[in-house]
Amino acid sequence: MFLKAVNEKDIQAMGTVFGTKDGPARQTVDRTELEKRLIILACYFNHDSARTLGEDRGTQDHREVRVELKKGNLTRQTTFYTIQGPGRRWYVDNMDIAAVRDFCGNTGTGRGGR
């Protein structure tokens, strides 16, 4: 859901699945601060295709979801860290941005050099 919202540039949808054990970030983080964070995340995680590679138990009640992302001629593997919140709902509370750092603003991705 998070990656779909990223590609749709739907900050509201991203905010419903980005959160912590306390619930969605849109309910726990200042709106302006959250929007800034989500816009930055949208830049890094915008992709042409995504494939889930696996899921493992992480530390401190997290699940680690490994994903392969492709953007233009680049292919990267990254990890999303999820945690269960209220109502047994899972939230993305962290991700490996370093793995996709070259997705954001890189002219070598075949995206027209934006």
Side-chain angles (χ1 to χ4, degrees):
M1 289 175 56
F2 183 81
L3 289 172
K4 182 179 184 222
V6 164
N7 273 11
E8 292 175 354
K9 297 175 181 46
D10 187 344
I11 300 298
Q12 295 300 319
M14 288 174 66
T16 64
V17 293
F18 185 64
T20 66
K21 64 181 173 139
D22 298 323
R26 67 184 177 144
Q27 294 177 353
T28 60
V29 177
D30 172 73
R31 181 179 175 179
T32 302
E33 180 65 26
L34 178 60
E35 286 178 359
K36 288 178 186 177
R37 288 183 193 182
L38 294 176
I39 289 168
I40 291 167
L41 291 175
C43 182
Y44 283 104
F45 289 97
N46 186 39
H47 60 284
D48 296 327
S49 67
R51 179 171 66 108
T52 301
L53 301 174
E55 183 177 329
D56 291 311
R57 180 182 211 137
T59 60
Q60 300 175 345
D61 298 323
H62 283 87
R63 300 288 300 168
E64 296 180 3
V65 181
R66 290 179 316 287
V67 177
E68 178 184 84
L69 297 175
K70 292 184 179 185
K71 183 176 180 183
N73 62 351
L74 300 176
T75 301
R76 300 290 181 262
Q77 292 182 12
T78 189
T79 303
F80 288 85
Y81 302 91
T82 63
I83 193 158
Q84 196 170 47
R88 301 178 50 84
R89 186 166 174 194
W90 287 87
Y91 296 95
V92 174
D93 80 336
N94 204 355
M95 61 283 296
D96 179 11
I97 295 174
V100 292
R101 70 184 173 276
D102 52 353
F103 275 20
C104 191
N106 187 330
T107 58
T109 61
R111 287 292 192 122
R114 282 191 258 156

